[in-house]
Amino acid sequence: MTQHVDTVVVGGGAMGSSTAWNLARRGRPVVLLERFAPGHKNGASHGATRNFSTGYVDEVHNSMIHESRRLWNELEDATGETLLDVIGTVNHGGIDVTRNDWLREHGVPVEMLAAEEAHERWPGIRFATAVQYMPEGARVRADAAVAALQQQTAALGGVVKHNTEVLKITVLSDDAVEIVTGDETYIAKTVVVTVGAWTTKLLGATMALPQLVVTQEQPAHFQQRDIATPWPSFNHAPIAGDSDYDYWYSPIYGMLTPGEGIKAGWHGVGPVTDPDLRSFVPESVQLAALQRYARDWLPGTDPDDFIAISCTYTTSPNSVFVLDRVGPIVVGAGFSGHGFKFTPSVGRILADLVDGTSPSAPVFSLAR
């Protein structure tokens, strides 16, 4: 059976769901196709929480942070759900504080705290350096956010279909593209592809993509010793030459996930994987190092009482997103482990590319 539709969005994770929502709220007919069931754990969007860090020191990402906060709040108003918890973000270790003035000038409040003062506020974390505190940093409720985006898409007239794998995309002309699933074929004016780790598999034969490296990342939730202890979101960077960091694989990120514990993880250093052949089993040496991190730096957790997590990163060569259009295909990819906070803004940008109303920033171009 063949259906003729305006726009198909392939991939119902955070970015695809946001794109569908942004299109639906403009009155654009949209069909969102997701390969897996609601709440699945096969990609990069699942899980209860993500950091909403505000410390991006360039015009493009800074403007996207401000836009995303506004759009998250609009989605909250539409659904009546809390999706963004403002709990503050602390950055410590080998951090760059030279651009604090730039951040303040661009609407991002920043405070510097002595290590002792920071530990008094957040006794669950050990601090050995001055701490950069961003009071407007937050935590996004990830699973709830994806569900809310899909709910609002449907409420605005969009079609949301799960358990629908797209097998092939074929360009027919500048304003027609064929999308083949296991059950139906769609002929659309535009298709948006936001399939994360499957981007190269689905589009690699159709368009020139940058190298997108898929890794299986493996953070963990460590149980709190005292659930009354306050926790901010946190980012912890190693200091070159300091023996305290000799065993580190990368900077660390983390936050409290209510009901699950303190999430902590290495950033972008998991084993390269095929998304269809993942083990979902954490690499034992990296996991042991993560436990050591909790033992050394998170005294408010029990390093031996944890639940490992498995997710994917799809990382571009410079860790900057791909948001671009070629003919009738719009692609959003390469979110490189730091994209979730930008979900509403990314959806707006991809919807603009569908509409042809505004080009993406050159930094996100396929040809950059």
Side-chain angles (χ1 to χ4, degrees):
M1 176 177 169
T2 299
Q3 294 190 45
H4 290 262
V5 298
D6 184 271
T7 304
V8 171
V9 178
V10 181
M15 302 311 178
S17 298
S18 176
T19 304
W21 174 60
N22 274 278
L23 289 167
R25 67 205 298 248
R26 300 177 189 190
R28 289 291 297 258
V30 59
V31 177
L32 174 62
L33 304 178
E34 166 54 42
R35 175 179 176 178
F36 300 106
H40 72 87
K41 298 182 178 181
N42 298 293
S45 294
H46 68 87
T49 54
R50 295 291 190 281
N51 271 345
F52 186 88
S53 300
T54 57
Y56 287 80
V57 287
D58 66 273
E59 298 275 2
V60 172
H61 289 90
N62 178 266
S63 66
M64 289 176 69
I65 282 288
H66 290 298
E67 179 183 35
S68 291
R69 184 187 297 276
R70 174 177 59 80
L71 291 175
W72 281 128
N73 292 157
E74 288 184 20
L75 185 60
E76 289 178 320
D77 291 342
T79 62
E81 292 192 42
T82 299
L83 301 174
L84 198 65
D85 300 311
V86 181
I87 55 174
T89 300
V90 295
N91 303 313
H92 64 118
I95 57 174
D96 179 4
V97 299
T98 62
R99 297 189 179 182
N100 283 356
D101 288 342
W102 188 97
L103 288 166
R104 295 184 185 107
E105 290 168 4
H106 288 77
V108 180
V110 182
E111 302 173 22
M112 292 302 298
L113 306 175
E116 297 78 9
E117 180 183 359
H119 184 67
E120 287 179 7
R121 290 198 194 187
W122 304 288
I125 304 175
R126 179 170 77 88
F127 300 100
T129 64
V131 175
Q132 184 187 52
Y133 173 49
M134 298 184 175
E136 291 188 353
R139 174 180 61 215
V140 184
R141 301 188 184 188
D143 282 340
V146 173
L149 289 163
Q150 293 182 5
Q151 172 200 333
Q152 285 301 296
T153 297
L156 293 166
V159 175
V160 180
K161 297 187 66 175
H162 288 89
N163 299 304
T164 304
E165 181 179 3
V166 170
L167 304 175
K168 188 177 182 182
I169 294 174
T170 304
V171 174
L172 304 178
S173 69
D174 287 343
D175 58 359
V177 58
E178 180 184 67
I179 303 100
V180 178
T181 75
D183 300 315
E184 294 179 293
T185 296
Y186 296 86
I187 305 297
K189 294 178 182 177
T190 314
V191 64
V192 182
V193 179
T194 49
V195 293
W198 289 269
T199 302
T200 300
K201 285 192 169 191
L202 188 57
L203 287 182
T206 304
M207 63 196 310
L209 295 167
Q211 183 181 23
L212 299 172
V213 177
V214 180
T215 53
Q216 177 176 279
E217 299 302 315
Q218 42 219 11
H221 280 120
F222 293 93
Q223 289 306 302
Q224 298 168 260
R225 296 189 185 277
D226 181 355
I227 62 172
T229 300
W231 285 86
S233 294
F234 58 91
N235 297 292
H236 190 180
I239 299 174
D242 188 324
S243 60
D244 280 350
Y245 302 92
D246 284 351
Y247 65 93
W248 283 41
Y249 284 85
S250 71
I252 283 276
Y253 70 93
M255 79 291 291
L256 166 65
T257 301
E260 297 187 54
I262 305 304
K263 183 177 181 180
W266 307 114
H267 177 70
V269 292
V272 174
T273 190
D274 181 322
D276 292 311
L277 300 173
R278 282 170 61 196
S279 70
F280 291 85
V281 177
E283 195 279 314
S284 60
V285 177
Q286 287 194 14
L287 179 58
L290 190 61
Q291 286 183 267
R292 181 177 173 185
Y293 173 82
R295 186 171 292 109
D296 289 351
W297 294 97
L298 302 178
T301 70
D302 182 344
D304 298 313
D305 187 359
F306 65 90
I307 296 176
I309 309 165
S310 177
C311 63
T312 58
Y313 278 16
T314 304
T315 302
S316 72
N318 60 355
S319 294
V320 176
F321 316 150
V322 176
L323 309 172
D324 207 351
R325 176 169 182 161
V326 177
I329 300 178
V330 174
V331 59
F335 294 102
S336 305
H338 68 115
F340 202 103
K341 64 183 73 65
F342 297 106
T343 292
S345 184
V346 167
R348 190 273 304 165
I349 291 169
L350 295 175
D352 284 353
L353 290 170
V354 171
D355 285 343
T357 54
S358 177
S360 180
V363 68
F364 300 132
S365 168
L366 281 161
R368 65 185 187 269

